[in-house]
Amino acid sequence: MTLPTGVSSEISSPVLPLTWTAQVESQLLDEERVLAWLETNLDAQLYFSSGLVVVTNKRLLGKTGSDVNWQDWAYRPTLRLARHDHSGVGSLELLDENSLLVRWRYTLGSDTAARRLADHFNHQLDFQLTGEARQLNTETEAMCPRCGAVLDAPLPPGQVECATCRGESATPPSTWTLFRLWRFAKPYKWRLLTGFLLTLGSTAAALVPPYMTMPLMDNVLIPYQNGKPIDVDLVTFYLTGLLGAAVLAWLLGCTRTYMLARVSERIGADLRTATYEHLLKLSHAYFGGKRTGDLMARIGSETDRLNVFLSLHLLDFATDVLMIGMTVIILVSINPLLALVTLAPLPIIAWLIHLVRDRLRTGFEKVDRAWAEVTSVLADTIPGVRVVKAFAQEKREATRFRAANDRNLEVNDRVNKVWSLFTPTVTLLTEIGLLVVWIFGIWQVSKDEITVGVLTAFLTYISRFYLRLDSMSRIVSFTQKAAAGTKRIFEILDHVSSVPEPAQPVHLPAVAGRIELRDVGFRYGTRSVTRNISLIIEPGEMVGLVGHSGSGKSTLVNLICRFYDVTEGAILLDGVDIRALQVAEYRKHIGLVLQEPFLFFGTIAENIAYGKPHASREEIVTAARAAHAHEFILRLPHGYDSLVGERGQALSGGERQRISIARALLIDPRILILDEATSSVDTTTEKEIQKALENLVRGRTTIAIAHRLSTLQHADRLVVLDRGSVVEIGNHDTLMVREGHYYRLYQAQARNVDTEDNLRRHSVDPKPRTIVNE
């Protein structure tokens, strides 16, 4: 049998996992070849279990851990292989007409292999039945499991996201990256030009004293040794020139340093502000793949490093370049032959700088990432220190920090190894160059080709020349560090939000609050979360979203808030697609109360007024009263001016929740979203919060998610979600009569509550229970 068109021998003979090789080979028939395979890792109950599905040129083979024998299915017209995924679980279903023959399950880390297998199956099925094969999709050979992007090469084992997901570029940092800072330096171009002119003037003034040594030696000191009296007026003239040049260089240098330091600080501040503002505009998807410590390191330490580079090292570099250039001109004008000998080591030093730069630029980027990892461990551990202590994991976290710190040390050691060899080598070459000048200069003096004054001036200039050359070579280190930092900052600035602003935004003069979902679907990377959801929520209506964990409730709320954009369909507000509205303008009409309310460090009044910073104290108190928070606030030592502590730790969970309700009430939104607002508090506190919510819900379009279904009985409608799709819609009574999905959820929860109540009455702690998602 010939191979189908487009199938190479490499694709037709993939390398099987070692644990399955012998078993698969024992099942193969004559002239049967393996085309693709998928190693499954879940059973029907979603427990981890090993299995294998194989596509050959003659049939489909399959075996799971619970099967004793292999199963096989020959290609026939009614056979179909369907691939699905939801909430981190993928499945392959083999169908014969409308009947399900077998289902294999796997985690989405194997989704790329599943796509490849399904494509090979369809390719081979078409060829077997018609003799013509569909185009084989080779793009699935290397795809990012998270974002689904086609990659040039497969990801390394254990890596679950590509460089694009991490907001990183695969190319090493280049020195040319520093020129992108001109975007922030441009507003200060005239100050920079003035600073450059001052640098030019101070450098020129610093080169005057060595030039004045020639006449001092040849016209004053050497004639005096030969018996001629010293000309006091001539000496005074030369010494006055030396003093004037030194004072002028000092004055110009001070002015230049102060001016350029101020400019660099402002460039750094603008860079920091722009990066932070851009970061706030990015969608939730970006932050989902980033560590807080890494982002803090980029905005904090990287911009500080750039400030130091711009204010000190770049200024020194410019001075060195000017000094070397001017010195070369002076040396050539004094004696071209001696100047040529002096500059002989320059090509070797330039080659060394180029060689070391290539190694340092990748090394310093690794140093930055290693340090960001150390910072990330701190950012993870310090806010969660209560959990660390509660589970006695101090040693574990200390070990994790030590491991990150050791990696940082290892990367720095590699960079220092290169740098420790480079710096002494440059110093040695400069000393050799100075020795060559001495030898050649003494030879020229002995031949009366130059005077002692010329040689002295030459030695003074060449000492400064090599000193500046050595300094400039050391700046290579700082330049590459700055280039690495600039690259990491621009990785943020270059990232385009997945929730873009409209080019021509629509402005709604008034918002009624009618929300319509039209065939809404959403995929997170390669994982399908919701699909084909259509729903209309009328103004002032309260709709409850219910379903198992992972059914898509929170995702739907995130889509309505436009934290993410839908991948299919559309969401409309009062008949206008929300993607046509400005993001900030749209979200001003939404009040959000979360399960875990976040309070900022500050006073209670500041937290209530977060969405309306200029609210009066009377407005704040009115909102607090409506949220049933006024009474407990007055019991605090400083009332509304009491500090809530880091993340509101000075308050209880119920008190923080009522503060968040007051915060939502103050902005008076037309749309209200309650994401399990009472699931983490006790029954007594829940009643207080429910009273506050009654005031909050009144007259607003409300979408509520609740862990306790009993809290949604008074909703106008309940939308029941399962596996990302709507399965039932109706009020509580209607859905209970149907005895469908909602009825089973409610009964299961009621039985659990009754069991716990009975156990409490008899002073017995309820046993932990595990709820398995369907």
Side-chain angles (χ1 to χ4, degrees):
M1 176 179 170
T2 59
L3 286 173
T5 304
V7 180
S8 67
S9 58
E10 180 183 356
I11 295 177
S12 63
S13 302
V15 179
L16 288 161
L18 292 176
T19 53
W20 291 97
T21 302
Q23 293 188 54
V24 173
E25 288 179 350
S26 67
Q27 298 296 318
L28 294 180
L29 305 174
D30 293 339
E31 298 185 358
E32 187 174 16
R33 294 179 301 277
V34 174
L35 301 180
W37 54 268
L38 166 67
E39 192 169 17
T40 61
N41 52 11
L42 296 173
D43 62 13
Q45 287 74 40
L46 300 186
Y47 289 106
F48 283 102
S49 177
S50 181
L52 191 72
V53 186
V54 179
V55 170
T56 75
N57 59 334
K58 294 186 177 182
R59 55 183 173 157
L60 180 71
L61 292 167
K63 186 179 185 300
T64 62
S66 59
D67 293 336
V68 177
N69 300 317
W70 284 81
Q71 294 177 286
D72 68 301
W73 299 268
Y75 297 115
R76 53 181 181 268
T78 56
L79 214 58
R80 185 166 61 92
L81 188 64
R83 186 181 61 83
H84 307 285
D85 64 83
H86 180 65
S87 298
V89 176
S91 63
L92 276 177
E93 296 178 350
L94 185 63
L95 305 167
D96 190 1
E97 294 183 341
N98 294 324
S99 61
L100 177 65
L101 298 178
V102 64
R103 178 187 288 123
W104 296 281
R105 296 183 184 274
Y106 55 90
T107 55
L108 285 187
S110 304
D111 195 52
T112 302
R115 291 189 182 197
R116 181 168 57 244
L117 182 131
D119 200 60
H120 275 276
F121 175 86
N122 294 324
H123 183 277
Q124 193 65 28
L125 182 65
D126 288 350
F127 183 79
Q128 291 280 352
L129 301 178
T130 65
E132 296 180 1
R134 68 177 67 180
Q135 181 65 37
L136 187 62
N137 181 15
T138 57
E139 288 186 350
T140 59
E141 295 296 324
M143 296 181 67
C144 173
R146 183 177 170 209
C147 68
V150 178
L151 306 177
D152 295 332
L155 293 174
Q159 187 170 320
V160 295
E161 59 181 6
C162 62
T164 304
C165 293
R166 298 192 301 271
E168 302 168 5
S169 171
T171 58
S174 169
T175 309
W176 296 104
T177 308
L178 292 170
F179 286 97
R180 299 191 66 184
L181 292 173
W182 175 248
R183 163 184 164 188
F184 297 93
K186 191 175 181 179
Y188 310 100
K189 58 184 178 181
W190 296 114
R191 296 188 194 181
L192 290 171
L193 178 60
T194 304
F196 174 77
L197 295 176
L198 289 172
T199 301
L200 188 64
S202 64
T203 303
L207 289 173
V208 170
Y211 201 86
M212 302 290 287
T213 59
M214 286 190 298
L216 272 173
M217 292 289 295
D218 295 337
N219 300 334
V220 177
L221 295 179
I222 293 178
Y224 175 74
Q225 285 185 335
N226 295 330
K228 186 177 180 180
I230 293 178
D231 188 341
V232 177
D233 293 336
L234 188 61
V235 170
T236 302
F237 173 76
Y238 290 142
L239 294 181
T240 303
L242 288 173
L243 177 62
V247 172
L248 180 62
W250 170 80
L251 182 63
L252 294 176
C254 289
T255 307
R256 170 207 64 181
T257 302
Y258 177 72
M259 176 177 290
L260 292 181
R262 283 175 59 87
V263 171
S264 68
E265 288 294 335
R266 278 152 181 76
I267 293 173
D270 292 346
L271 178 63
R272 207 160 29 235
T273 301
T275 306
Y276 182 67
E277 288 178 350
H278 184 77
L279 195 65
L280 293 178
K281 295 177 182 177
L282 298 178
S283 67
H284 279 207
Y286 178 82
F287 293 95
K290 291 290 175 292
R291 301 186 71 177
T292 304
D294 179 62
L295 295 177
M296 291 173 62
R298 296 191 193 202
I299 297 177
S301 60
E302 300 295 358
T303 50
D304 283 343
R305 179 183 295 174
L306 285 176
N307 276 349
V308 173
F309 174 76
L310 293 172
S311 60
L312 295 178
H313 305 307
L314 185 60
L315 180 61
D316 290 342
F317 179 76
T319 305
D320 292 341
V321 170
L322 289 174
M323 181 71 76
I324 289 173
M326 291 181 177
T327 302
V328 169
I329 294 173
I330 293 173
L331 292 178
V332 172
S333 66
I334 294 174
N335 190 301
L337 184 61
L338 188 57
L340 183 63
V341 172
T342 302
L343 302 177
L346 266 182
I348 302 175
I349 295 175
W351 175 77
L352 279 175
I353 291 175
H354 173 73
L355 180 66
V356 170
R357 185 194 63 183
D358 289 341
R359 296 191 178 186
L360 288 181
R361 65 180 183 177
T362 54
F364 283 127
E365 186 178 23
K366 292 178 181 178
V367 168
D368 290 341
R369 301 203 184 284
W371 179 246
E373 187 177 350
V374 174
T375 310
S376 296
V377 174
L378 294 174
D380 289 343
T381 308
I382 293 175
V385 69
R386 188 175 182 182
V387 177
V388 173
K389 291 183 175 296
F391 288 91
Q393 293 298 307
E394 292 90 344
K395 288 185 178 179
R396 175 189 174 188
E397 293 301 334
T399 302
R400 193 159 70 100
F401 180 82
R402 187 180 296 108
N405 206 21
D406 288 344
R407 282 191 292 272
N408 177 61
L409 189 63
E410 180 184 352
V411 174
N412 274 283
D413 283 345
R414 287 200 294 266
V415 173
N416 291 333
K417 183 179 180 181
V418 175
W419 188 245
S420 62
L421 180 64
F422 169 72
T423 305
T425 302
V426 172
T427 303
L428 175 63
L429 289 173
T430 57
E431 293 295 336
I432 292 174
L434 192 61
L435 180 63
V436 170
V437 172
W438 268 109
I439 295 172
F440 194 76
I442 292 173
W443 179 77
Q444 282 196 313
V445 170
S446 66
K447 296 290 185 179
D448 292 328
E449 294 180 2
I450 61 173
T451 64
V452 174
V454 171
L455 178 59
T456 304
F458 233 95
L459 290 172
T460 306
Y461 276 121
I462 205 64
S463 297
R464 295 194 178 191
F465 175 84
Y466 280 124
L467 181 65
R468 291 295 182 176
L469 191 62
D470 184 59
S471 172
M472 193 168 68
S473 67
R474 294 173 188 273
I475 289 176
V476 172
S477 170
F478 303 113
T479 303
Q480 296 309 312
K481 285 182 180 179
T486 303
K487 175 177 178 285
R488 282 167 51 77
I489 290 173
F490 275 95
E491 281 173 356
I492 296 177
L493 292 173
D494 292 340
H495 195 90
V496 179
S497 175
S498 59
V499 181
E501 293 282 359
Q504 296 180 336
V506 176
H507 301 282
L508 294 176
V511 174
R514 185 180 187 272
I515 300 173
E516 180 181 357
L517 286 76
R518 292 182 181 172
D519 297 321
V520 167
F522 177 71
R523 298 183 66 87
Y524 188 75
T526 60
R527 178 165 61 93
S528 175
V529 183
T530 62
R531 58 179 70 87
N532 300 325
I533 295 180
S534 294
L535 178 68
I536 295 177
I537 305 173
E538 297 296 341
E541 184 181 15
M542 180 178 181
V543 170
L545 302 180
V546 300
H548 288 295
S549 297
S551 60
K553 304 185 298 297
S554 295
T555 299
L556 202 57
V557 164
N558 288 333
L559 293 174
I560 292 174
C561 291
R562 213 187 166 204
F563 294 148
Y564 303 94
D565 268 345
V566 297
T567 51
E568 298 171 3
I571 299 176
L572 289 77
L573 173 65
D574 294 345
V576 178
D577 193 321
I578 62 174
R579 289 170 292 190
L581 304 174
Q582 285 187 339
V583 176
E585 183 179 334
Y586 168 66
R587 289 181 184 155
K588 284 181 180 179
H589 301 295
I590 298 175
L592 186 61
V593 180
L594 301 172
Q595 177 182 358
E596 290 293 334
F598 187 95
L599 299 186
F600 297 91
F601 185 87
T603 66
I604 287 179
E606 289 170 346
N607 273 279
I608 293 176
Y610 185 77
K612 190 178 179 182
H614 302 295
S616 65
R617 182 55 62 95
E618 182 181 356
E619 291 176 309
I620 293 172
V621 172
T622 301
R625 286 183 182 277
H628 290 257
H630 182 68
E631 290 75 12
F632 85 77
I633 293 174
L634 292 183
R635 290 195 296 268
L636 297 174
H638 301 288
Y640 284 86
D641 295 320
S642 300
L643 292 174
V644 300
E646 187 75 19
R647 301 192 180 187
Q649 293 299 318
L651 304 176
S652 69
E655 289 170 343
R656 290 197 298 270
Q657 191 62 280
R658 278 176 278 175
I659 294 295
S660 70
I661 292 173
R663 183 164 58 194
L665 274 167
L666 185 62
I667 64 172
D668 192 22
R670 293 303 309 151
I671 301 168
L672 179 64
I673 294 177
L674 309 174
D675 191 354
E676 303 201 32
T678 62
S679 64
S680 58
V681 297
D682 58 81
T683 306
T684 304
T685 306
E686 180 185 359
K687 291 180 180 178
E688 289 292 322
I689 294 176
Q690 285 294 345
K691 292 178 183 178
L693 290 176
E694 289 175 5
N695 293 330
L696 184 59
V697 168
R698 192 174 298 119
R700 295 180 172 89
T701 303
T702 304
I703 302 170
I705 300 174
H707 176 70
R708 300 185 183 98
L709 298 181
S710 57
T711 61
L712 293 178
Q713 291 184 21
H714 300 295
D716 298 312
R717 280 188 299 162
L718 298 173
V719 177
V720 186
L721 296 171
D722 184 48
R723 302 177 185 273
S725 299
V726 176
V727 293
E728 286 182 323
I729 297 179
N731 59 34
H732 172 76
D733 295 334
T734 303
L735 295 178
M736 290 297 289
V737 170
R738 289 181 188 172
E739 297 188 0
H741 200 92
Y742 176 78
Y743 174 83
R744 292 191 295 273
L745 282 172
Y746 190 87
Q747 291 298 323
Q749 192 173 101
R751 282 194 297 271
N752 289 331
V753 172
D754 291 342
T755 302
E756 291 183 9
D757 289 342
N758 290 331
L759 290 171
R760 288 193 185 96
R761 291 192 194 101
H762 294 87
S763 300
V764 179
D765 290 335
K767 293 181 180 179
R769 60 186 186 279
T770 302
I771 300 175
V772 181
N773 293 341
E774 293 183 8

